Each structure stands twice: as structure tokens, then as C-alpha cells.
Amino acid sequence: MSRFQSFPVAELPVGIRLGCAVYDEHNTKLLAAGLAISDQLVQALHRREVTSVLVSTTDIGRMQAFRPQGQSKHPLPDREIDIAPTENDFSREMDQNLNAWLRPAADRVGPKFSDRVKKILDGTYDEEWVEHLATAHELQVTQLEQVGRSVVRGGSEQVLALTEGCAEVIDRILNDVDAFTCLGGNPNGGEYPGRHCLHTAMLAISIGTSFGCDHEQLRNLTIGCLMHDLAMLEVDQYTLKSRKVLDANEFREITKHPVRIFDLLETHLDHVPEAARMVAYQMHERFDGSGYPRQRQGCEIHLLARIAAVADSFVALVAPRPHRNGLLAYYAVAKLLKDASAGRFDPQIVRHLLQAVSLFPLGSYIELNDNRVARVLRTTPKYDRPVIEMWERGSVSAHGAVVDLSHEPDLRVMRPLPALR
């Protein structure tokens, strides 16, 4: 059954066809399911001074797909981590035989997956493909939410849904790598942790593809990312949804979840490949040893977990949370570059993040040096000169002029914008 929440009328995108009906705040139906939002509807709502409507969370996800949600320029200060000492049979086995667990699937044995991926050099995203991606994405978010709730209730057999469904996620990158990465790198703040896990998996696939991973490595990476935060559902939900920064004791509870996931999946953990387990276990470790749960560093951290760590951190930075706004994606990249320089992340992996999303990440809104505005569509080998869709300021319409900045030396990006105006 669909859940509904309030959504600003000013942000309703004209032309999108919604799967569920739209209601006003008094539960009066305004638009039937299956009909498209029109200019006439939006104008009529404005005339009636209706500022917000009730829209299904699935349709909100589709409306917000491919669009940045971050508004902030400044990340919260990094916190010192006080780690909760916790372990189980599975974590002890990995800790005692670390070198053996690091070797399997760390080296590519098959052909690079990037050889199969379609890289479109210019042009906007295909509208039918975008709609397909957004719809399939929202369906999978819902499925992950159901899997998570079932796992917490003891239904560990649901881990099969993660391992069997990961191939579908990976294959979505094949048609248009930039569209896939744009969707993955622009999460909204809803349905935590399912939405966060899926966006992290998608961005990790993009980074891993750029890095040269084969299909089996990407499969392990995806499974690990999809399962990594499910144990967060055991954390007190009031704590997770708090509008304040967590205190030290509350955050200590958070540091248990990379171990607790193995308790939740214990009876069906044999369906999870070893490398995927290492991703879920180690993706909150940091290259300089400042992470959790075991403060591993450098090559003590599985290669795929190092990729997942960068993807997870980017998605967490740009997604809105109850206690803070999300970052504009440019500032998220800037933070990760700074952290890599300080040793917190593998610098090689952060370089591949740049290759996957660019310095002004896919989907970002930007201002150019001639006062025009644009959104970033595609990456180029020059990190700061992507392919963009461009408009005159104040005249943003459905389709703008597509320009490859790597071929336009007189045009350059001046700054990121929180919205197109």
C-alpha cells in the first residue's frame, strides 16, 4: 500500500505521469492515477493558494530522480569515533584470517566490465530510458525496505533477494553509464536505509566500472553495499530520525552495525560470497585507520570495501538527513578529495570517483562565466569540463543547448547552484 507525504506544488514537474492519485491536504483527489501533471493543474493550484499536495512516496522518488537534493556548502565537522567493542563468530573468523579473506575476488580474473558499457559522448538522456530507470529504481527501494524489515524480524532467507537481484542493478549501467551514475549519485532523504544502500551500490558500480572491475567483482561489491546498512534497522528509530547530531553514546551504537549484520543473516550467510561479506564488514573502515569496526588501514581493507567506502561517503554527504541538509555535490567531491589527501580514503579510488561523476557531478546545476545556467549531463576526460545542458538565466525550459565544455575553451564553470533559475 502506497504511503503519502506532503510535496510542494512549486516543485511538481510538468509532464511526469504519476502512478498514484494526488490529493490536497484535506484528502480531496486532485489528479487521478496515471494522468500527467500539466501546466493547467499547477496554475489552478496556485490560483487556489494550494502550496502543497499529498503524493505517494514512490512518485516523489520518481520526481526527484536524477535531481540533486543537496543545498549546503559546508559539511558537518568530522567526529572522533568511539568504537563499541562488539564481535561474533563471523567477525572473529574474518579478523583471525584477515589475509585469506582479503585475497579472494580482490584481483580481476574476467574481462573488464567497462568493455560492455555504453558511453554516450554527447546528447541528453533518452526520456524513455530515464523513466524506466526511475520506475525500476523506486520498485527496488520498496523491495529493499521489505527485505530489511523481514531480516530484522528473523527472515534471514531474504538475503537471497539481495544476491539474486544484484545482476539486474549492475546491468542497468550498460545502456547509458552517465544516466545510471546520475541516478545513483543523487539520492533523496527518504526510505533509510534501503534507499541509501541502493544508491551506494549504484555509485560503487560506477566507480568499480571505471576502476576496471570484472562482473564478479561488481557482483560482490553490489551485494555488500545492498546489505551493509540493514542492521541499522535495529537501532532505535527515534535516534536515527532525530533532528540533532547524535551524541557519543548514540554513535557508539551505530558502530556495531557492520558486525550485527552477520547475526541477522547467520542462518543464510552461506549465500553471501566472502568478498561481499568483507564489503559489508569493512566499508566504514578508513584508509588511515580512523574508521570502524576494527580501525583497519591501507591494504588491510579489502579493495572492494575501499571502493564502497568512497561511494557510501559521497551518497551520505549529498543526501538530506533529519539533522542537516545535504551537500551540493561539488562540495561533497571537494571534501572527499581533501579527505583522500589527508589519508582517509584510498586516493586511487577517489580519482575513479572523479572519472565517474566529474568535479561538478552529474545532475549538478552550475553557473557559467557568461551568466548562463546549466545542468551537468556527461563526464569527459577533463574533470572540470563536462558535457552540459545550457539555458539563458531566467529562461529554463524543457530542453536546452547541449555543449561539451572540453571543446569550448571560452566557456567555464564559475560555481555550483542549488537550483536552476
Side-chain angles (χ1 to χ4, degrees), residues 39 42 67 89 115 119 138 190 217 266 294 372 397:
D39 276 320
V42 173
R67 299 177 181 217
D89 290 342
D115 293 341
K119 171 63 176 175
E138 290 307 308
Q217 287 175 309
E266 178 179 5
R294 295 291 179 262
R372 283 185 284 187
S397 57

Side-chain angles (χ1 to χ4, degrees), residues 151-341:
V151 165
V152 170
R153 291 195 300 264
S156 63
E157 73 280 356
Q158 288 293 319
V159 71
L160 293 172
L162 300 182
T163 58
E164 293 171 357
C166 69
E168 180 185 353
V169 181
I170 297 168
D171 286 348
R172 289 180 195 148
I173 200 174
L174 294 173
N175 282 34
D176 188 335
V177 60
D178 292 319
F180 176 90
T181 305
C182 181
L183 178 57
N186 286 290
N188 65 42
E191 294 96 357
Y192 185 86
R195 183 175 295 278
H196 174 78
C197 290
L198 182 55
H199 281 271
T200 298
M202 292 174 69
L203 189 57
I205 290 166
S206 298
I207 298 170
T209 298
S210 172
F211 188 81
C213 291
D214 62 24
H215 188 275
E216 185 63 19
Q217 287 175 309
L218 293 182
R219 179 176 181 270
N220 290 323
L221 183 59
T222 303
I223 295 171
C225 288
L226 291 178
M227 64 184 273
H228 84 279
D229 264 0
L230 293 184
M232 291 286 281
L233 290 168
E234 285 200 319
V235 176
D236 177 64
Q237 294 304 292
Y238 176 82
T239 298
L240 286 183
K241 296 175 182 177
S242 173
R243 293 188 175 275
K244 68 176 181 65
V245 176
L246 300 184
D247 64 31
N249 288 331
E250 290 168 333
F251 196 80
R252 285 182 89 241
E253 288 301 305
I254 299 294
T255 67
K256 295 178 181 180
H257 79 270
V259 175
R260 288 287 298 127
I261 186 61
F262 300 114
D263 287 326
L264 291 177
L265 300 179
E266 178 179 5
T267 56
H268 288 82
L269 203 56
D270 55 335
H271 295 291
V272 179
E274 290 184 357
R277 298 186 211 180
M278 289 301 290
V279 170
Y281 186 45
Q282 289 195 320
M283 65 188 296
H284 293 293
E285 301 286 7
R286 292 294 175 258
F287 209 55
D288 62 355
S290 62
Y292 63 90
R294 295 291 179 262
Q295 296 187 305
R296 300 293 185 187
Q297 59 184 341
C299 292
E300 294 178 333
I301 306 170
H302 197 287
L303 169 64
L304 300 183
R306 283 179 260 154
I307 293 173
V310 172
D312 174 68
S313 296
F314 180 90
V315 170
L317 286 168
V318 300
R321 291 286 181 259
H323 64 285
R324 53 123 175 106
N325 291 324
L327 280 180
L328 288 167
Y330 168 82
Y331 295 103
V333 168
K335 174 167 173 52
L336 290 174
L337 288 170
K338 180 180 178 181
D339 286 347
S341 179

Side-chain angles (χ1 to χ4, degrees), residues 354-393:
L354 267 178
Q355 290 183 11
V357 305
S358 108
L359 182 61
F360 298 93
L362 297 169
S364 294
Y365 304 135
I366 53 176
E367 179 184 334
L368 303 172
N369 61 313
D370 64 357
N371 204 39
R372 283 185 284 187
V373 296
R375 68 168 178 144
V376 180
L377 285 176
R378 303 194 178 279
T379 62
T380 73
K382 297 181 179 180
Y383 300 147
D384 61 341
R385 305 194 68 77
V387 176
I388 62 172
E389 187 175 17
M390 181 174 64
W391 296 268
E392 296 292 336
R393 186 181 289 275

Side-chain angles (χ1 to χ4, degrees), residues 344-358:
R344 285 174 55 80
F345 295 102
D346 185 335
Q348 184 178 201
I349 305 302
V350 174
R351 282 196 295 273
H352 284 281
L353 169 72
L354 267 178
Q355 290 183 11
V357 305
S358 108

Side-chain angles (χ1 to χ4, degrees), residues 114-166:
S114 58
D115 293 341
R116 298 173 53 196
V117 172
K118 188 174 183 179
K119 171 63 176 175
I120 299 173
L121 299 179
D122 56 20
T124 57
Y125 308 146
D126 180 84
E127 291 183 2
E128 289 187 7
W129 180 241
V130 161
E131 176 62 21
H132 170 76
L133 273 180
T135 301
H137 182 80
E138 290 307 308
L139 176 61
Q140 193 140 33
V141 168
T142 300
Q143 291 171 339
L144 276 172
E145 287 292 294
Q146 294 170 347
V147 167
R149 289 193 291 269
S150 177
V151 165
V152 170
R153 291 195 300 264
S156 63
E157 73 280 356
Q158 288 293 319
V159 71
L160 293 172
L162 300 182
T163 58
E164 293 171 357
C166 69

